[in-house]
Amino acid sequence: MRRWVVLAVTALGCRAPAQPVSGADVVDSAGVQVITSSAPAWGANPQWKVASSPSRTLGGVAGDPALDFVSIVGAKRLGDGSLVVANGGTGELRWFSPEGTPVRSVGGRAAANSPFTAVASLYSLGDTLVVWDARARVLTRLSSTGSVLRQDTLRMADSTRRFAILGVFGDGSLLAEAGVAIDLKDHEPGSVRPGRGLFHFSGGVSDSIGVLPGEELRLSMVDGRPVLTAVPFGLGSRLTVLADRYVASEGDRLQLEERDPGGRLRRVIRWRGSRLPVTPDDIDRQGRALLGSAGSGVQRAKLDSIWRDMQKPDSLPAIIGMMADPRSLVWVRRGMHVADSESEWWVIAKDGSWLGSVMLPGTAAPLDITDEWIVLRTVDENRIERVEVRRIRR
């Protein structure tokens, strides 16, 4: 059984009794609440539905500096209906009116006196936009109209260590991640999951709060040298940040662990279900996609050999994505077959109960969810990126 190590642990028996959870069993284990839903609160029929077609689509206009997206890393729909898109390829934020008309751009390498030249991630705290420039290690807070409110340079105790910002808590503190080095000489060929070190940034100071297992990789020996390759349908941990907590999954079970910003376990959330089986079609499509990116010649031959010899798992990961919405609902993406046209997202209520499922386009990645809208990133067969805004019927 895969577990992750938490460096800051405390008993929670002194907290106030939790409110009953509708449709779920609640027990306390060593002071930690365990919530298990045997069936969705919505029943057999989904209560919410995302529109089958977008109300607005942005992007896909080659040569247009406002509508040609490359490496979209985030988007935020503002209260007035306008949209902010973080375009990682140019290191800028782009504003669009509610009708989709380009309004302004902030940042980017080409702009004079730019407050940031790279965008690794985009978050929001109320009406404030939060941009992380991983190259300069600068966090920029901007107003909803793009005015710079504050900039901070973030450092860890090891000033050379690279890290990513994973989210912003309601008090303005941050959840960050840095990779954990592994010595391949200590591992036998097979499955490897390098650690994801988690850190809480508060007042410019970072505290280590735990380690999650990272993306599953395959260690092979090629010409006497260790080689790491992606595992087909491999496990990976996922997490999302809410106002006063974060929720994490190791990816192998229908289970979430809810922790406070210091990494202390608050609740374990479970719901009934099973992992989907890996099919021959999954393996065929995955193999063709992997080898198609390897070109030709010696490199392709080596990769083909590794792929053929690699043991394929019997089942898909249980969880492959996660994000939260303004109602503090956690949306959890189920592992899906390669050819599926839709992806299933389980919705978990604030009280820990399983509400039900929402179906989204299979190739789309949600960037923002509001009460009435969902913002999606799509990539077509020509690798052209677009942003879609679709209505949610709740």
Side-chain angles (χ1 to χ4, degrees):
M1 179 181 296
R2 298 174 174 88
R3 302 298 303 159
W4 62 291
V5 180
V6 178
L7 304 182
V9 180
T10 185
L12 299 180
C14 59
R15 69 175 178 212
Q19 295 298 315
V21 180
S22 175
D25 295 326
V26 183
V27 298
D28 282 334
S29 176
V32 175
Q33 193 178 73
V34 180
I35 302 167
T36 304
S37 296
S38 58
W42 291 342
N45 298 318
Q47 299 294 305
W48 298 351
K49 185 176 181 180
V50 174
S52 59
S53 59
S55 298
R56 188 197 326 155
T57 302
L58 303 175
V61 182
D64 188 322
L67 291 169
D68 188 6
F69 295 125
V70 180
S71 300
I72 297 169
V73 297
K76 175 67 177 176
R77 189 177 187 276
L78 303 177
D80 63 357
S82 58
L83 192 69
V84 182
V85 179
N87 191 57
T90 56
E92 63 182 333
L93 299 188
R94 298 176 183 174
W95 269 256
F96 298 87
S97 72
E99 296 73 34
T101 303
V103 175
R104 72 180 65 88
S105 173
V106 175
R109 293 181 290 276
N113 301 317
S114 175
F116 47 84
T117 58
V119 179
S121 52
L122 170 68
Y123 303 101
S124 63
L125 185 60
D127 294 331
T128 300
L129 300 173
V130 182
V131 174
W132 172 238
D133 181 344
R135 296 177 183 174
R137 304 184 189 183
V138 171
L139 192 80
T140 303
R141 292 174 172 86
L142 303 100
S143 71
S144 59
T145 58
S147 299
V148 175
L149 304 175
R150 176 178 171 180
Q151 289 189 297
D152 297 289
T153 300
L154 303 183
R155 292 285 187 270
M156 289 189 174
D158 178 358
S159 61
T160 64
R161 194 171 190 181
R162 292 288 180 181
F163 58 95
I165 301 300
L166 303 178
V168 185
F169 295 106
D171 63 0
S173 62
L174 309 166
L175 184 67
E177 169 192 357
V180 177
I182 60 171
D183 188 349
L184 297 181
K185 294 183 296 183
D186 296 335
H187 290 273
E188 295 293 327
S191 178
V192 178
R193 292 188 73 179
R196 300 174 62 186
L198 300 182
F199 296 83
H200 180 223
F201 268 97
S202 181
V205 178
S206 65
D207 290 322
S208 175
I209 59 172
V211 178
L212 273 172
E215 298 296 316
E216 189 173 10
L217 302 173
R218 173 77 179 185
L219 174 61
S220 305
M221 300 301 296
V222 178
D223 299 332
R225 300 177 61 183
V227 175
L228 286 174
T229 53
V231 171
F233 323 108
L235 299 174
S237 56
R238 300 292 182 264
L239 61 80
T240 190
V241 175
L242 293 90
D244 61 348
R245 62 196 185 280
Y246 67 93
V247 178
S249 161
E250 294 183 15
D252 57 346
R253 293 182 293 167
L254 304 188
Q255 174 173 302
L256 307 179
E257 294 189 350
E258 182 181 286
R259 298 177 180 270
D260 69 15
R264 290 172 286 272
L265 183 62
R266 293 174 51 168
R267 297 191 300 186
V268 176
I269 300 170
R270 297 169 179 161
W271 60 102
R272 305 295 184 192
S274 61
R275 294 168 61 175
L276 297 174
V278 172
T279 67
D281 181 64
D282 289 327
I283 295 173
D284 178 64
R285 289 173 181 267
Q286 184 83 358
R288 284 190 281 119
L290 176 67
L291 298 176
S293 63
S296 59
V298 176
Q299 180 64 28
R300 181 186 174 91
K302 289 182 178 179
L303 193 58
D304 181 56
S305 175
I306 292 173
W307 173 258
R308 284 187 284 104
D309 294 340
M310 188 180 297
Q311 183 177 358
K312 314 303 189 296
D314 296 326
S315 56
L316 299 170
I319 294 172
I320 60 173
M322 197 186 308
M323 71 179 304
D325 72 9
R327 297 187 186 184
S328 295
L329 302 177
V330 177
W331 295 51
V332 181
R333 185 174 187 174
R334 183 181 192 178
M336 58 184 288
H337 297 298
V338 178
D340 285 349
S341 61
E342 289 187 307
S343 60
E344 182 177 6
W345 288 74
W346 292 299
V347 182
I348 308 299
K350 187 175 182 179
D351 64 8
S353 59
W354 171 30
L355 295 181
S357 298
V358 177
M359 305 304 294
L360 296 179
T363 58
L367 302 173
D368 189 31
I369 302 174
T370 71
D371 282 346
E372 298 182 5
W373 303 93
I374 185 165
V375 181
L376 303 170
R377 171 184 177 265
T378 65
V379 182
D380 66 16
E381 64 277 4
N382 296 315
R383 300 184 181 181
I384 296 175
E385 297 182 52
R386 293 180 175 87
V387 174
E388 293 184 357
V389 182
R390 300 194 184 207
R391 185 174 289 278
I392 302 175
R393 297 180 178 89
R394 301 200 189 213

